[in-house]
Structure formats: C-alpha cells, structure tokens
Amino acid sequence: MRPALALERHCAAGPTWRCEADGEPFPCAAWRGLPLDDHLRGVLLAGFTLFLRPAIRDLRGRPEGPTPPQIVRRFLWFLPMTDEEARATALRYR
C-alpha cells in the first residue's frame, strides 16, 4: 500500500485531536514514523501549521491536557524546537 493511502485513515479533528484509525493523540505514530527529508518537512510544515490554532483552542485548559507549547511540539514534531521557540509559536497561534 502506498504511504499516502495508508495515511488517509490517520486523520483527526477537534475537540479531541485523536487519530480516527488508532485512537492515538494526533499526529499518531503513523505520521511520526514517516522517513523525513527536507521536502517532506516543508510539506508537513505547510499542512500541520493549519492545525495549530484549532488544536490549541480545543486542547488548552483541559484537565491534564497539554499546554500550548506542548501542542506546538506535538504537531510540529519534525522540527527541532526549543521550549522558548515552542512558547513563542504557541503565542502566535492562540
């Protein structure tokens, strides 16, 4: 099966942001396990930043839920990011 077709089932939306295929926090292991190169990082950056604002809105403040910087790191796992950079990014997407 082509990777793109296998990933079609691995999608999510608010308010829970859990993968519809396996129930893991989205993006799930299927996404995080992709072999990355610079091109794919660019594609993922363009796509996954679209999820940041709604994910932060839906997930922040939930009991035992992730903080906005944790949400940023979760959705942009493929980028090296310091805690300070994650906080700054979260503030831009609130």
Side-chain angles (χ1 to χ4, degrees):
M1 183 179 297
R2 291 187 355 225
L5 292 177
L7 288 173
E8 282 181 1
R9 298 180 317 117
H10 294 273
C11 57
T16 63
W17 293 96
R18 295 190 97 40
C19 177
E20 292 180 3
D22 55 37
E24 287 185 35
F26 185 80
C28 64
W31 281 99
R32 292 188 315 271
L34 289 173
L36 297 172
D37 60 19
D38 288 342
H39 173 73
L40 184 55
R41 278 186 188 89
V43 171
L44 292 174
L45 182 61
F48 278 81
T49 54
L50 296 175
F51 297 130
L52 285 179
R53 185 168 278 119
I56 289 170
R57 180 196 62 228
D58 291 340
L59 295 172
R60 102 174 149 218
R62 287 179 168 244
E64 299 182 34
T67 64
Q70 289 170 327
I71 296 165
V72 168
R73 293 186 99 159
R74 173 174 150 183
F75 280 82
L76 302 180
W77 80 95
F78 51 89
L79 297 176
M81 189 177 298
T82 67
D83 290 341
E84 186 176 311
E85 290 168 330
R87 277 191 298 279
T89 302
L91 287 172
R92 295 179 96 192
Y93 282 92
R94 280 189 163 182

